[in-house]
């Protein structure tokens, strides 16, 4: 983190003469190149914190990647660092292997098993002179100046946290891969009282709250009504994440809670609420199989729409009140306010609009991939679903395109106008999988909801599900972690320590 110490020293020294040192302002000029960025950053005379423009002929062009999700991580993994310097700006320093995140909530897997450090995905950001990882969030983009405006992430509400400061980074090529945020549909109380399941800290919060409720419900003095509420786990959203979490939770109850919390085993319940049908993108036979398996596992399926979320209960559109001790919200994703604030055209649904080569056509040298992007209406293509495999395929396509542009001497800003881009991006769906607990899973290999194809369910599907995801985990280190965690859980049961 040498860059952070350097940037911090510069911020303190350059702001010492300002009336309010906690609110710095930085001029828009870039008086230095990236080769001297570190030195200039620590110089108060420069009046600028960040990385300036690169110099063609003397320095490699700089690719700035916003985000460490599936799309951004896949791009960084494949970028040719002989052609480019890479700068990654993200509020987290790791990629989350989201298909296995639900397993961490109940102790089937440990949290580190699903988190891949970005420095392992692209080692250049830890070692190359012109490549960096910045723990920060992007707060604005100036496409005319080829600049991104950033603000550091310094520890949130911790009492000893540093005051965040702002800096800027010049880019030759910019890749916006910020992902999306959980959709709340404007329902009152969701953000305040529900827990999402998209990040490792979400899974940690779910696990702590679940285990706390289990232990508190066994303490003398608690009323029967309060015990029933604490032990009621409600999942809103019947997509793959909601179904997989419900299946993992039911497995945890049957195999671990009944053995280690025998006094309360008859009180704990799981309810899955979905407005339409669960797993609506899967084959109808697989949906019915999932419904039967979840019901056998003790999961109560409720069809309804949440109207309001209160601290200890939710209210459905039919007036029914559902008390809860743990509320997990998994109803899909939508564009974040940051994406909406960017000065780029939008696709239907509010995502950043891109053309067939994943470029933002209204500006030079800016691309968008992953859940934050969608095809413009003028392309005639439908917006792709917000799936990990879509984001990963887009990242792979774009890194090949950027490497081709770099080899054609088009890597620097405004120099790729005459470069042949090759074939446009085409997405081919490889199928969908979901586990429903009790060593059962679904595998749907159809290319779309309307297409015909192979689909099957049961133990063989569960074996395929585990094998596929084990091979998709990025590093051998994490594959080893996942395999050992699965084996440990099979032999000794889940870890129920509340840490």
């Amino acid at each position: 983190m040498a860059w952070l110490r350097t940037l911090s020293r510069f911020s303190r020294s350059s702001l010492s003469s300002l009336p309010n040192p906690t609110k710095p302002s930085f001029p828009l000029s870039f008086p230095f190149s990236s080769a001297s960025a570190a030195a200039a950053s620590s110089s108060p005379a420069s009046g600028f914190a960040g990385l300036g423009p690169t110099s063609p002929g003397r320095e490699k062009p700089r690719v700035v990647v916003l985000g460490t999700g599936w799309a951004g991580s896949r791009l960084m993994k494949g970028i040719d660092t002989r052609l480019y310097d890479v700068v990654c700006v993200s509020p987290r320093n790791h990629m989350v292997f989201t298909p296995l995140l639900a397993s961490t909530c109940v102790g089937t897997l440990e949290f580190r098993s699903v988190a891949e450090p970005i420095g392992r995905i692209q080692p250049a950001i830890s070692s190359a002179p012109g490549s960096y990882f910045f723990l920060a969030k992007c707060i604005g983009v100036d496409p005319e100046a080829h600049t991104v405006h950033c603000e550091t992430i310094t520890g949130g509400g911790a009492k000893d946290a540093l005051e965040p400061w702002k800096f800027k980074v010049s880019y030759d090529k910019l890749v916006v891969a910020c992902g999306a945020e959980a959709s709340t549909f404007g329902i009152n109380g969701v953000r305040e009282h529900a827990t999402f399941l998209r990040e490792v800290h979400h899974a940690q919060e779910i696990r702590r709250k679940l285990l706390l409720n289990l232990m508190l419900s066994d303490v003398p003095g608690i009323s029967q009504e309060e015990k029933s509420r604490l032990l009621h786990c409600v999942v809103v959203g019947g997509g793959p994440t909601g179904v997989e979490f419900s299946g993992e939770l039911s497995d945890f109850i049957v195999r671990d809670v009944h053995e280690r919390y025998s006094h309360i085993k008859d009180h704990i319940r799981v309810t899955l609420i979905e407005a339409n049908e669960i797993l609506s993108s899967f084959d109808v036979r697989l949906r019915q199989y999932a419904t039967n398996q979840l019901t056998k596992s003790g999961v109560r399926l409720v069809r309804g729409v949440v109207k309001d979320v209160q601290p200890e209960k939710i209210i459905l559109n039919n007036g029914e009140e559902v008390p809860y001790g743990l509320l997990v919200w998994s109803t899909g994703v939508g564009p974040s306010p940051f994406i909406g604030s960017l000065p780029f055209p939008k696709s239907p649904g509010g995502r950043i609009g891109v053309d067939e080569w994943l470029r933002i056509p209204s500006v030079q040298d800016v691309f968008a991939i992953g859940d934050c992007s969608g095809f413009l209406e003028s392309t005639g293509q439908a917006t792709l679903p917000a799936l990990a495999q879509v984001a990963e395929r887009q990242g792979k396509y774009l890194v090949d395109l950027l490497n081709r542009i770099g080899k054609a001497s088009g890597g620097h800003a405004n120099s790729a106008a005459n470069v042949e881009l090759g074939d446009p991006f085409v997405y081919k769906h490889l199928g969908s999988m979901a586990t429903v607990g009790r060593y059962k899973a679904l595998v749907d290999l159809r290319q779309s909801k309307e297409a015909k194809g192979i689909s099957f369910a049961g133990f063989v599907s569960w074996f395929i599900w585990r094998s596929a995801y084990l091979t998709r985990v990025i590093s051998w280190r994490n594959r080893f972690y996942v395999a050992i965690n699965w084996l440990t859980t099979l032999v000794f049961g889940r870890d129920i320590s509340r840490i």
Side-chain angles (χ1 to χ4, degrees), residues 311-383:
E312 296 182 352
K313 65 183 179 181
I314 61 176
I315 300 174
L316 303 183
N317 59 340
N318 61 3
E320 180 184 355
E321 297 184 355
V322 183
Y324 66 86
L326 172 66
L327 176 62
V328 177
W329 193 270
S330 177
T331 58
V333 297
S336 66
F338 167 69
I339 294 300
S341 71
L342 293 177
F344 304 135
K346 302 299 189 293
S347 69
R351 302 184 190 184
I352 298 174
V354 296
D355 63 12
E356 297 93 330
W357 292 271
L358 306 181
R359 302 173 301 176
I360 300 175
S362 59
V363 294
Q364 286 286 319
D365 300 320
V366 185
F367 305 81
I369 54 177
D371 296 350
C372 69
S373 68
F375 288 118
L376 290 165
E377 283 188 288
S378 58
T379 65
Q381 300 195 45
T383 298

Side-chain angles (χ1 to χ4, degrees), residues 387-401:
L387 299 175
Q389 62 173 296
V390 174
E392 185 182 32
R393 300 273 289 285
Q394 287 182 331
K396 183 179 185 304
Y397 171 85
L398 184 55
V399 76
D400 291 340
L401 178 59

Side-chain angles (χ1 to χ4, degrees), residues 28-94:
L28 291 174
S29 59
F30 299 91
F32 57 88
S33 66
S34 63
S36 57
S41 291
S42 60
S43 170
S46 70
F48 175 80
L51 300 178
T54 60
S55 299
R58 291 196 298 149
E59 299 169 307
K60 291 185 288 187
R62 181 186 300 134
V63 174
V64 174
V65 182
L66 306 180
T68 53
W70 280 87
S73 296
R74 181 62 185 85
L75 182 137
M76 282 188 287
K77 181 181 179 181
I79 197 76
D80 189 341
T81 53
R82 296 169 299 180
L83 299 172
Y84 295 102
D85 286 330
V86 183
V87 173
C88 177
V89 178
S90 176
R92 68 183 190 197
N93 70 340
H94 58 273

